[in-house]
């Protein structure tokens, strides 16, 4: 089965649509981790993003880390993850972005040490979900401040109706999502393609 079909099937059989437009995928992606499934995601991202000179994968704790590490072993690069709400002693040494989370209805601070983002970096960003894209925009901003290049963005599940993906593609980024959900009305998942 093609990987995108495998993921869609998992979303349909294991995903739960919750109030507030949240898709719960705790059984394979956000709480219990299905490693064989994640491995397929890693291989998919390797196939799509190999040959771009990527030297680092950037993600956000916590759910991004599993996807990032399993992809990184195929691209043979290190992973850097943005930390959330850490206490900051040395603001000169970190990039800090304020991100509003509409699922959590609060602001999170994302933090990455400046020494882990460099001007000659060619970065692949990965994450589990893309909704409005606020978290992703914060990562893009950090890479930009560091002077590096984002060569690709790999997302597992994009909710296209929340607009973040299109906005970021319009900026010229090479953004690829394994599954695109165009609607979750009445508790039913509808894929974009
Ligand atoms: P945005 O960044 O795209 O605007 O979305 P949002 O602010 O809502 O993202 C906050 C968190 O919610 C992110 O993870 C994101 O991956 C996740 N998220 C967004 N939509 C959904 C959804 O429909 N289902 C699930 N399961 N997650 C969603 P996080 O809370 O920062 O943390 P973590 O789970 O990675 O620790
Ligand atoms: Na996430
Ligand atoms: Na999440």
């Amino acid at each position: 089965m093609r990987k995108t079909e495998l993921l869609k099937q998992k979303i349909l059989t294991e995903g739960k649509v919750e109030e507030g437009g949240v898709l719960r995928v705790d059984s394979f992606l956000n709480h219990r981790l299905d490693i064989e499934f994640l491995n397929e995601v890693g291989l998919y991202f390797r196939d799509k993003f190999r040959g771009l000179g990527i030297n680092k994968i950037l993600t956000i704790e916590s759910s991004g880390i599993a996807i990032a590490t399993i992809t990184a072993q195929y691209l043979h690069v290190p992973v850097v993850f943005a930390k959330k709400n850490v206490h900051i002693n040395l603001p000169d040494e970190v990039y800090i972005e304020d991100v509003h989370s509409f699922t959590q209805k609060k602001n999170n601070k994302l933090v990455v040490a400046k020494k882990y983002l460099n001007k000659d970096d060619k970065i692949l960003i990965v994450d589990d979900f893309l909704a409005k894209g606020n978290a992703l925009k914060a990562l893009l901003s950090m890479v930009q401040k560091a002077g590096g290049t984002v060569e690709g963005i790999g997302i597992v599940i994009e909710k296209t109706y929340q607009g973040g993906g299109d906005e970021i593609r319009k900026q010229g980024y090479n953004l690829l999502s394994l599954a695109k959900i165009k609607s979750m009305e009445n508790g039913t998942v509808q894929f974009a393609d």
Side-chain angles (χ1 to χ4, degrees), residues 30 60-64 84 127-129:
N30 280 167
I60 305 175
E61 70 170 345
S62 56
S63 301
K84 279 182 200 158
D127 211 352
D128 56 342
F129 272 91

Side-chain angles (χ1 to χ4, degrees), residues 64-78:
I65 296 175
I67 301 154
T69 54
I70 220 155
T71 305
Q73 68 175 345
Y74 291 119
L75 292 173
H76 306 286
V77 297

